PDB file of all heavy atoms in Angstrom:
ATOM      1  N   HIS W  24     -45.178  18.384 -20.513  1.00 91.00           N
ATOM      2  CA  HIS W  24     -45.651  18.966 -21.771  1.00 91.00           C
ATOM      3  C   HIS W  24     -44.673  20.014 -22.296  1.00 91.00           C
ATOM      4  O   HIS W  24     -44.444  20.108 -23.508  1.00 91.00           O
ATOM      5  CB  HIS W  24     -47.044  19.570 -21.581  1.00 91.00           C
ATOM      6  CG  HIS W  24     -48.139  18.560 -21.693  1.00 91.00           C
ATOM      7  ND1 HIS W  24     -48.729  18.223 -22.895  1.00 91.00           N
ATOM      8  CD2 HIS W  24     -48.731  17.782 -20.762  1.00 91.00           C
ATOM      9  CE1 HIS W  24     -49.654  17.298 -22.697  1.00 91.00           C
ATOM     10  NE2 HIS W  24     -49.675  17.014 -21.404  1.00 91.00           N
ATOM     11  N   TYR W  38     -46.323  34.760 -20.860  1.00 77.00           N
ATOM     12  CA  TYR W  38     -47.645  34.307 -20.457  1.00 77.00           C
ATOM     13  C   TYR W  38     -48.661  35.432 -20.570  1.00 77.00           C
ATOM     14  O   TYR W  38     -48.326  36.614 -20.559  1.00 77.00           O
ATOM     15  CB  TYR W  38     -47.625  33.791 -19.014  1.00 77.00           C
ATOM     16  CG  TYR W  38     -47.029  34.791 -18.047  1.00 77.00           C
ATOM     17  CD1 TYR W  38     -47.779  35.855 -17.564  1.00 77.00           C
ATOM     18  CD2 TYR W  38     -45.701  34.679 -17.646  1.00 77.00           C
ATOM     19  CE1 TYR W  38     -47.233  36.780 -16.710  1.00 77.00           C
ATOM     20  CE2 TYR W  38     -45.149  35.602 -16.788  1.00 77.00           C
ATOM     21  CZ  TYR W  38     -45.913  36.649 -16.318  1.00 77.00           C
ATOM     22  OH  TYR W  38     -45.368  37.572 -15.479  1.00 77.00           O
ATOM     23  N   VAL W  80     -40.368  34.981   7.080  1.00 89.00           N
ATOM     24  CA  VAL W  80     -40.217  34.217   8.320  1.00 89.00           C
ATOM     25  C   VAL W  80     -39.894  35.115   9.511  1.00 89.00           C
ATOM     26  O   VAL W  80     -40.523  35.014  10.574  1.00 89.00           O
ATOM     27  CB  VAL W  80     -39.123  33.142   8.157  1.00 89.00           C
ATOM     28  CG1 VAL W  80     -38.885  32.417   9.477  1.00 89.00           C
ATOM     29  CG2 VAL W  80     -39.519  32.147   7.076  1.00 89.00           C
ATOM     30  N   VAL W  90     -52.110  30.992   5.721  1.00 96.00           N
ATOM     31  CA  VAL W  90     -52.637  31.173   4.366  1.00 96.00           C
ATOM     32  C   VAL W  90     -52.374  32.608   3.930  1.00 96.00           C
ATOM     33  O   VAL W  90     -52.690  33.556   4.657  1.00 96.00           O
ATOM     34  CB  VAL W  90     -54.152  30.882   4.297  1.00 96.00           C
ATOM     35  CG1 VAL W  90     -54.663  31.035   2.866  1.00 96.00           C
ATOM     36  CG2 VAL W  90     -54.450  29.476   4.814  1.00 96.00           C
ATOM     37  N   GLY W 121     -62.305  40.625  -9.430  1.00 72.00           N
ATOM     38  CA  GLY W 121     -62.104  41.951  -8.873  1.00 72.00           C
ATOM     39  C   GLY W 121     -62.654  42.058  -7.463  1.00 72.00           C
ATOM     40  O   GLY W 121     -63.717  41.513  -7.151  1.00 72.00           O
ATOM     41  N   ASP W 123     -63.803  44.665  -6.161  1.00 61.00           N
ATOM     42  CA  ASP W 123     -64.921  45.598  -6.116  1.00 61.00           C
ATOM     43  C   ASP W 123     -66.209  44.970  -6.642  1.00 61.00           C
ATOM     44  O   ASP W 123     -67.220  45.640  -6.801  1.00 61.00           O
ATOM     45  CB  ASP W 123     -64.602  46.866  -6.915  1.00 61.00           C
ATOM     46  CG  ASP W 123     -64.116  46.552  -8.325  1.00 61.00           C
ATOM     47  OD1 ASP W 123     -63.943  45.358  -8.637  1.00 61.00           O
ATOM     48  OD2 ASP W 123     -63.905  47.503  -9.089  1.00 61.00           O
ATOM     49  N   GLN W 182     -55.985  57.764   6.435  1.00 92.00           N
ATOM     50  CA  GLN W 182     -57.343  57.246   6.569  1.00 92.00           C
ATOM     51  C   GLN W 182     -57.431  55.766   6.206  1.00 92.00           C
ATOM     52  O   GLN W 182     -58.356  55.070   6.656  1.00 92.00           O
ATOM     53  CB  GLN W 182     -58.305  58.045   5.699  1.00 92.00           C
ATOM     54  CG  GLN W 182     -58.144  57.834   4.199  1.00 92.00           C
ATOM     55  CD  GLN W 182     -59.034  58.765   3.410  1.00 92.00           C
ATOM     56  OE1 GLN W 182     -58.897  59.986   3.518  1.00 92.00           O
ATOM     57  NE2 GLN W 182     -59.953  58.219   2.634  1.00 92.00           N
TER      58      GLN W 182
END
Side-chain angles (χ1 to χ4, degrees):
H24 277 272
Y38 53 80
V80 176
V90 182
D123 51 355
Q182 70 186 61

